[in-house]
Amino acid sequence: MPQLALYTFGVLKSPLADPAPLTREFYDIGEVIYRKISQHPGYLAHAEAAYGDRGSHFDLDWGAWGEFAVPTWYDKGRTVETTALAATLSLWTDLRPAFDAIYTGLHREALNRRYDWFERAEHPGHVSWWVSDDVIPTWQDGVSRLEHLHDHGSAPHAFTFHQSFAPDGTPTRIKDIGPKSDQVH
């Protein structure tokens, strides 16, 4: 059965190593959100460094998730002191559980504050695509699909929640996958 791959990418206003209160707040809330999302129904896995998080994203061993990569438009640092990005790569059972995890609860609250932490961009912040259940998507897969989405718009190859596609390539509608409730948990 196909699984949904989801890649997110954003450029932070300041490097992750910046001791400013907003950067610390983003980092702290991110850890809590990751724990919460990993317990969400439909969540399967996300890219994690194989041996902890010593170093920048670029020099960590990501195991089967491949070498860390970023979109061509990322023009900030690549060292521990200068990296100013947030990226995730995850696998889900379907569109609905991924949508619900992102647009409800703590993650929804964080999304409402995204411009406190992230630069405004003309590029999409996330992309989804379907993979067979024996495939682990790589960082490069996510980057190439995000760039494809930016250049060509939503298609079965690379899409957003609001212009999504079923595994067979047929378009789906947001009302069909929208959150089960407007309540924030």
Side-chain angles (χ1 to χ4, degrees):
M1 175 165 224
Q3 298 174 340
L4 183 75
L6 173 62
Y7 172 73
T8 66
F9 184 84
V11 178
L12 294 165
K13 290 182 176 180
S14 61
L16 285 168
D18 185 344
L22 274 178
T23 305
R24 278 197 315 272
E25 179 185 39
F26 169 76
Y27 188 77
D28 291 345
I29 198 167
E31 289 182 14
V32 173
I33 289 171
Y34 255 119
R35 278 196 305 274
K36 198 84 158 144
I37 283 180
S38 70
Q39 298 166 355
H40 198 280
Y43 166 87
L44 297 171
H46 73 269
E48 292 185 273
Y51 303 107
D53 59 359
R54 293 186 198 109
S56 80
H57 290 71
F58 299 92
D59 41 328
L60 296 175
D61 176 359
W62 293 94
W65 301 90
E67 184 178 337
F68 189 75
V70 293
T72 55
W73 61 79
Y74 176 72
D75 61 358
K76 292 200 175 184
R78 293 175 181 251
T79 67
V80 173
E81 296 80 22
T82 62
T83 298
L85 63 86
T88 65
L89 180 58
S90 56
L91 279 171
W92 296 83
T93 57
D94 206 350
L95 280 163
R96 177 60 179 259
F99 184 91
D100 286 348
I102 290 168
Y103 290 104
T104 61
L106 284 175
H107 194 272
R108 177 60 194 197
E109 291 175 29
L111 277 178
N112 290 341
R113 296 201 48 218
R114 67 186 167 271
Y115 296 122
D116 290 347
W117 304 309
F118 291 93
E119 293 180 355
R120 292 183 183 266
E122 294 183 22
H123 308 286
H126 77 277
V127 65
S128 295
W129 69 99
W130 295 101
V131 297
S132 60
D133 63 0
D134 60 342
V135 171
I136 295 176
T138 66
W139 289 107
Q140 186 56 54
D141 293 336
V143 168
S144 66
R145 301 219 185 215
L146 189 70
E147 289 174 344
H148 185 275
L149 175 66
H150 175 259
D151 294 343
H152 305 286
S154 276
H157 175 77
F159 54 88
T160 65
F161 287 117
H162 298 290
Q163 293 181 313
S164 58
F165 293 83
D168 67 3
T170 59
T172 60
R173 294 168 22 123
I174 192 67
K175 75 174 197 162
D176 298 332
I177 64 160
K180 296 176 188 173
S181 148
D182 289 335
Q183 289 182 315
V184 174
H185 299 95

